[in-house]
Amino acid sequence: MENLIALLIAAPLLGAAVLLVGGRRLDAVGHWIGTLLSFVSFVIGVVLFADLLGKGAEHRTLTQHLFSWVPVAGFQADVTFRLDQLSMTFVLLITGVGSLIHLYSVGYMEHDERRRRFFGYLNLFLAAMLLLVLADNYLLLYVGWEGVGLASYLLIGFWQHKPSAATAAKKAFLVNRVGDMGLSIAIMLMFTTFGSFAFGPVLSHAGDASEGRLTAIGLMLLLATCGKSAQVPLQSWLGDAMEGPTPVSALIHAATMVTAGVYLIVRSGAVFNAAPDAQLAVTVVGAVTLLFGAIVGCAKDDIKKALAGSTMSQIGYMVLAAGLGPIGYVFAIMHLVTHGFFKAGLFLGAGSVMHGMNDEVDMRKYGGLRRYMPVTFVTFGLGYLAIIGFPGLSGFFSKDKIIEAAFAKGGTDGWILGGVALLGAAITAFYMTRVMLMTFFGEERWKNQPTRSPEAPSAEPAAEHQGEHAEPHPHESPKVMTIPMIVLAVGSVLGGGFFSIGDRFLHWLEPVTGYSEGHSPVGAWTVTGATMVCLIIGVGIAWAQYGRKPVPAVAPRGSLLTRAARRDLLQDDFNHVVLVRGGEHLTRSLVYVDHTLVDGVVNGTAAGFGGLSSRLRRVQNGFARSYAVSMFGGAALLVAATLLMRAV
Amino acid sequence: MNPVNYLYLAALLFTIGATGVLIRRNAIVVFMCIELMLNACNLAFVAFSRMHGNLDGQIIAFFTMVVAAAEVVVGLAIIVSLFRTRHSASVDDASLMKL
Amino acid sequence: MSFPLLTATAALPAVGAVATAAVPAAWRTAAKWLALLVSLATLALAVTVLVRFDPDGARYQLTESHAWIKDFGVRYELGVDGIAVALIALTALLIPFIVLAGWNDADPLETGSSRWRPTQGFFALILAVEAMVVISFEATDVFLFYIFFEAMLIPMYFLIGGFGDRAHAQGEEAASRQRSYAAVKFLLYNLVGGLIMLAAVIGLYVVAGNFSLQEIAQARASGSLHMATSTERWLFLGFFFAFAVKAPLWPLHTWLPNAMQESTAPVAVLITAVVDKVGTFAMLRFCLQLFPQASKWATPVILVLALISIVYGALLAVGQRDIKRLVAYASISHFGFIIMGIFAMTSQGQSGATLYMVNHGISTAALMLVAGFLISRRGSRLIADYGGVQKVAPVLAGTFLIGGLATLSLPGLAPFVSEFLVLVGTFTRHPVIGIIATFGIVLAALYTLVLYQRTMTGPVKPEVSAMPDLRARELVVVAPLIVLLIFLGVYPKPVTDIVNPAVKQTMSDVHKKDPKPEVEAAK
């Protein structure tokens, strides 16, 4: 059975290689090859899952050693895969949602002439993501970690003839690199601390190392998480990443890649458990991002960017939970899985809406679409109910558990974190209701006006040939797109309940992540009640603002906070002024310094010798008699010197 | 007679020759002064030969004479051809090596 | 006596160079094919060396020794250790690609000038450089090494000064002026370094009485050859200076951007990927073995200079407007990593540095040669003159991206392994330097992606709209390099296996042991 693990990765990797190297002759079938290989990987995943279920809880870790990767004295990195309950969960999520999104993309990218390449990149992403979760050591994980970064770069910049897409892709990669720096320093620290960076030695001996080192490792892992999972202060790339095609946003920037940070923290749980300061930092980052993303999500009129804010915020929940230690690990992963379902569904729904609306993304130009796109409306609606935590749907179970766990941390920290999580739930309810109302309800604002305003740069160009300024004719998407949406909607509805009844998910993951009950100062039902109150408040405010009153087609100026939130709370402006401008000045002045100073010193030396020689050259005046004088003078000097030496 | 006196004479002749080489412009005169210096050396060699009581100095003097004769042949030829091309025997006019 | 394999490996390209130069003017194509065949035959010999070399055998293998200048104790001594074998293989591997990539670079501009034979000269010079580089890697006699270390400047000088990019924005005359400036700068810098080294070589002879690397190193190790501390330090500095110029280490780097900018892409590859490696190689072989104490003494300063090279080179690469200059500064940054790895004095660092030399050779060759193909199409080196090439020439853009990704050390491609080893090796002994060096990876991403974005993405510029994609010959050059980059990224073991024993011995030369991890039990 172990030998199947490598096949999980090999299938999509083969797909990527075939599609990218194969060239134009595969254009006609490329998308089906990609989709097929993705499904192959999913099937292998299911087989392995069945195998794991058949074993006892203690024997559910499979390892496969392929070959020795970097053998250098004292430094052993192997290509070894590890399949346990945690990675199994991810494998199913990645290949399952990934396959659905492959299927969806067949329809979504139908008119794009570079569809084969798109599927090649998607397969590359699957391979890298699977490598990330299956690696048995941190260095191999790092390969997957940067691999998904590369795939993300290629896919965000897929429409790279648009400068905005190319810039967004570059930004995503660079911000991620800052995080990657954290991961590589963490690996170096592990190597100096444990002499190894394989999961086994590091995690089983984490308790023996000094707390200072563990805290340093933890903080570096947190930095890595911030980069990949778009947490404050490295969150700025996620909004821009929506430049990519919508299936990409659904798969990479909602369901899987951005949650890699949560995986990293949960996987390294043993390190964090022994480093309370690092844990505290994790919870703080999670809590801040939770609010940050939610606030940004409230202000965006671009449907994808609103969902991106929401993604940020939901991952904030997961990071917060992961920072709580054994109380929260399981729930972080559970929320991650349910979020994978409903957020992917929401993005696919958004893509479906855009598909039918000439790629318009501005929600102020939607409205009343429920009559035209019933399937999209229902699936999107179910995703919406799931994310706001409507009782019985999957978000309700997973988010509620996280809020409980936050309170259960105890002390002042617990109250603050729990309060933030509750507030986040209210804001989530608000902005998601806003998205829902602006898109599917209200008057049909798209009528009698041209779409694709020039200031909507992220509009997707696939439909350019349909006439740029024609009035849109909203229509339901083809089956190949709606089926994945339906499947994901079913997952969003049933997933949470399935996991929570009988604590199935808890028992499944506990052997890997560990679990402790925690002592909540407030009862579980009190928390649930409070969450419900928050939910109702959020929905109510949104209804009052966007449901009862007509939505203006042009955004009002808004309060100071709204305007700041529209600009991602000014973080981009800060980056621009401090990092971009500052960096430009630095490099420009360094170029100048290199030219004038470093090179100048050398050229100056050369010029000095040149000057000296041009003086000395004058002695060679061509007059034989002056040469004779110097000869006589020299001879006389030599004689005098000899005599002088004799005398002494 | 004290052989050292010959050395004084040789030094005197050499100095006269050297001064002539340095201050005269006429190539013929410069050439004659060089001969003077060579012969001053010859005189010194012979005097040393006498003082030390061996023949080495005299042998070298013969060498010098042969070299001087050869030099006269080549040197005069150069001077004559210089005079033919430039109609001047001044050494300062022949400064082709100057940059 | 067995077949002198090492001599043959160096002599073959030398003979080939003479033969290529002698090809009559009219048979230009024959000269090209001859050069290619010779370089391929040399590759075959180098592979034989690689196969015959036993990583677990004696330190120096395939040795040859003949008396040469008896009065000065100069011997013709050759021998290879694992590090040398890896670099000889790299050199022999890259030269055929350089020859192929420069296939049409040296064709005479106007046909009919029958007496002038630039094509023959170009390929003969490349082969001459190969011969000298190979013998520098093989020489275990300090004097023999010195001669070829210096002699390779002569063909390099003519390659830089004599052959440049075809179309030049400022006209042919300005181009030729800048070319000769670059060539003279290259020559003077390296000559100054070389002369200082010559003084140190003579000094070494005065102290040790012969030039044999093995004898001196053994005598030093056994204590029979005592060197005063200050003597050792001066001699070390003399050697190191020459190698630091060639490597190049900040602040002795300014010749490299000029030289790479003005020469054709294949020659630029020859400079950074092949010739400069002699500098870093010689640090490992001569500085550490001959002067272990002084090497340790100088380590802090050298590490700081290497660190400056890394960050400074990367920052300057960000600020460049010329594609080739950008690659040159990126190379300076990478040489910083190599030197840092050597002087980190850990086995990870030194193995990583050796691996880095090989990987950097391949990755720079890939990036630079594709950049050369790009430049030859548009006739401009300026980044601003490009845009949207991806749409017009997707294969070219794709290979350019892979070359760029290798330059930024993307995991899965070869340079990542070596860069990480260097970082880890440095970090275990000098954490702060290791952490600062890590910033280099962010900056590397910045300059690579900015270059890619500005040239390849965005709207198609009218000047590039008719640009043809890679031709078959160009694809033959690039594809194997890319395959190699991926292969060595996934499976670097063949190289590390050869390198590791040599590194172990170098580590014992300098009496250094790797630092122990904090938690021993975890191992």
Side-chain angles (χ1 to χ4, degrees), chain A residues 67 69 71 73 142 146 153 160-161 166-167 170 174 177 181 191-193 195 201 210 213 587 590-591 594 599 602, chain C residues 185 189 253-254 312 315-316 329 348 390 408 411 416 424 438 441 446 453 457-458 489-490 492 500 517-519 522:
Chain A
F67 55 87
W69 179 28
Y142 188 55
E146 287 238 352
Y153 168 79
Q160 48 181 270
H161 50 86
T167 308
K170 183 187 68 183
L174 280 178
R177 265 262 152 154
M181 212 175 91
F191 183 69
T192 53
T193 311
S210 61
R213 290 220 172 190
T587 54
L590 269 182
V591 170
D594 195 58
D599 214 16
V602 178
Chain C
K185 198 168 177 179
Y189 256 91
H253 63 274
T254 51
Y312 185 89
L315 278 174
L316 275 155
Y329 277 107
Q348 297 93 36
Q390 204 277 336
L408 64 77
F416 166 73
V424 164
T438 318
I441 69 171
L446 184 59
Q453 187 192 351
T457 69
V490 177
N500 281 343
E518 191 191 69
V519 184

Side-chain angles (χ1 to χ4, degrees), chain C residues 31-48:
Chain C
K32 295 174 183 177
W33 280 104
L34 179 63
L36 184 62
L37 282 179
V38 169
S39 62
L40 286 173
T42 313
L43 177 59
L45 279 178
V47 170
T48 319

Side-chain angles (χ1 to χ4, degrees), chain C residues 14 18 167 185 260 293 299 408 421:
Chain C
V18 175
K185 198 168 177 179
M260 281 181 77
Q293 300 303 325
T299 296
L408 64 77
L421 280 174

Side-chain angles (χ1 to χ4, degrees), chain A residues 24 67-75 79 113-114 117 121 139 142-144 146-147 150 153-154 160-163 166-170 173-174 177-178 180-185 187-197 201-202 205 208-210 213 583-584 586-588 590-595 598-599 602-603 606, chain C residues 181 185 189 250-255 257-258 312 315-316 318-320 325 329 347-348 351 355 390-391 394 401 405 408-412 416-417 419-421 423-424 427-428 434-435 438-439 441-442 444-446 449-450 452-453 456-459 488-493 496-497 500 514 516-523:
Chain A
R24 299 246 159 83
F67 55 87
S68 172
W69 179 28
V70 191
V72 170
F75 183 98
V79 177
E113 54 178 17
R114 289 161 72 234
R117 198 181 278 259
Y121 293 158
L139 198 66
Y142 188 55
V143 176
E146 287 238 352
L150 170 68
Y153 168 79
L154 294 169
Q160 48 181 270
H161 50 86
K162 280 194 303 179
T167 308
K170 183 187 68 183
F173 197 93
L174 280 178
R177 265 262 152 154
V178 176
D180 297 347
M181 212 175 91
L183 185 53
S184 60
I185 294 176
I187 298 175
M188 291 191 259
L189 273 166
M190 285 174 197
F191 183 69
T192 53
T193 311
F194 303 103
S196 169
F197 38 76
V202 171
H205 291 86
D208 303 341
S210 61
R213 290 220 172 190
E584 275 173 4
L586 178 68
T587 54
R588 254 184 235 148
L590 269 182
V591 170
Y592 180 76
V593 164
D594 195 58
H595 190 70
V598 182
D599 214 16
V602 178
N603 283 346
Chain C
Y181 171 74
K185 198 168 177 179
Y189 256 91
W250 188 89
L252 305 169
H253 63 274
T254 51
W255 63 269
N258 285 73
Y312 185 89
L315 278 174
L316 275 155
V318 175
Q320 295 306 317
R325 259 184 109 77
Y329 277 107
S347 24
Q348 297 93 36
S351 292
L355 201 57
Q390 204 277 336
K391 191 130 193 170
L401 181 64
L405 291 174
L408 64 77
S409 296
L410 188 86
F416 166 73
V417 177
E419 189 163 300
F420 200 81
L421 280 174
L423 284 173
V424 164
F427 186 84
T428 50
I435 288 174
T438 318
F439 279 97
I441 69 171
V442 178
L446 184 59
L449 295 185
V450 168
Y452 184 79
Q453 187 192 351
M456 299 298 170
T457 69
L488 287 181
V490 177
Y491 196 60
K493 197 161 173 287
T496 51
D497 278 353
N500 281 343
D514 289 330
K516 290 259 184 300
E518 191 191 69
V519 184
E520 274 287 355
K523 274 214 104 167

Side-chain angles (χ1 to χ4, degrees), chain A residues 261-532:
Chain A
V262 182
Y263 170 77
L264 185 68
I265 294 179
V266 174
R267 178 57 87 189
S268 317
V271 172
F272 282 96
N273 290 346
D277 292 343
Q279 275 188 324
L280 183 66
V282 174
T283 51
V284 169
V285 165
V288 170
T289 312
L290 188 170
L291 289 182
F292 188 105
I295 292 170
V296 170
C298 292
K300 294 284 184 187
D301 289 333
D302 178 329
I303 184 168
K304 285 180 75 180
K305 293 202 169 169
L307 288 176
S310 151
T311 304
M312 226 184 267
S313 166
Q314 296 302 314
I315 298 171
Y317 271 108
M318 300 169 207
V319 171
L320 169 65
L324 295 172
I327 324 172
Y329 292 143
V330 173
F331 303 123
I333 300 297
M334 189 160 110
H335 192 54
L336 192 156
V337 174
T338 55
H339 174 256
F341 281 116
F342 57 68
K343 187 52 70 62
L346 287 171
F347 265 110
L348 294 190
S352 173
V353 169
M354 287 156 59
H355 198 71
M357 292 289 291
N358 289 5
D359 293 315
E360 177 60 64
V361 291
D362 189 349
M363 291 190 292
R364 292 190 185 275
K365 295 181 181 145
Y366 292 167
L369 292 177
R370 66 180 185 281
R371 281 187 293 278
Y372 300 91
M373 310 178 174
V375 180
T376 307
F377 167 64
V378 171
T379 53
F380 196 93
L382 289 173
Y384 155 74
L385 291 177
I387 192 175
I388 62 171
F390 192 80
L393 273 69
S394 62
F396 166 77
F397 291 102
S398 52
K399 198 189 287 178
D400 198 47
K401 288 282 188 192
I402 291 179
I403 298 172
E404 271 176 46
F407 279 112
K409 187 170 192 285
T412 330
D413 300 358
W415 283 105
I416 295 173
L417 294 174
V420 168
L422 271 180
L423 181 60
I427 307 178
T428 307
F430 170 78
Y431 68 72
M432 284 313 298
T433 312
R434 174 175 175 267
V435 169
M436 199 65 198
L437 291 174
M438 283 174 87
T439 307
F440 292 103
F441 293 90
E443 38 182 297
E444 296 164 358
R445 294 182 297 280
W446 39 270
K447 279 198 173 157
N448 305 321
Q449 65 164 6
T451 54
R452 291 212 38 155
S453 57
E455 67 269 16
S458 57
E460 299 182 11
E464 265 168 22
H465 52 87
Q466 293 179 3
E468 191 135 323
H469 296 288
E471 190 180 287
H473 300 285
H475 56 86
E476 190 52 271
S477 299
K479 282 241 167 53
V480 72
M481 288 167 69
T482 49
I483 289 172
M485 287 155 60
I486 295 170
V487 174
L488 287 171
V490 170
S492 334
V493 173
L494 301 178
F498 178 76
F499 290 151
S500 294
I501 294 166
D503 286 339
R504 281 201 190 107
F505 201 76
L506 182 61
H507 294 309
W508 163 250
L509 265 189
E510 196 190 340
V512 185
T513 59
Y515 177 66
S516 70
E517 190 72 36
H519 306 283
S520 183
V522 278
W525 286 109
T526 325
V527 174
T528 310
T531 314
M532 284 306 114

Side-chain angles (χ1 to χ4, degrees), chain B residues 8-76:
Chain B
Y8 289 137
L9 177 62
L12 193 65
L13 287 173
F14 188 88
T15 316
I16 292 169
T19 319
V21 167
L22 292 185
I23 62 175
R24 298 302 298 261
R25 286 188 197 159
N26 191 315
I28 304 281
V29 179
V30 170
F31 199 65
M32 279 156 63
C33 290
I34 291 173
E35 287 302 311
L36 200 58
M37 286 159 70
L38 280 171
N39 283 311
C41 293
N42 270 349
L43 183 59
F45 275 127
V46 174
F48 280 126
S49 175
R50 171 81 181 168
M51 285 162 74
H52 295 298
N54 61 19
L55 288 176
D56 292 357
Q58 296 190 25
I59 292 168
I60 292 180
F62 277 111
F63 271 110
T64 318
M65 279 180 206
V66 174
V67 171
E71 187 215 331
V72 168
V73 174
V74 178
L76 273 178

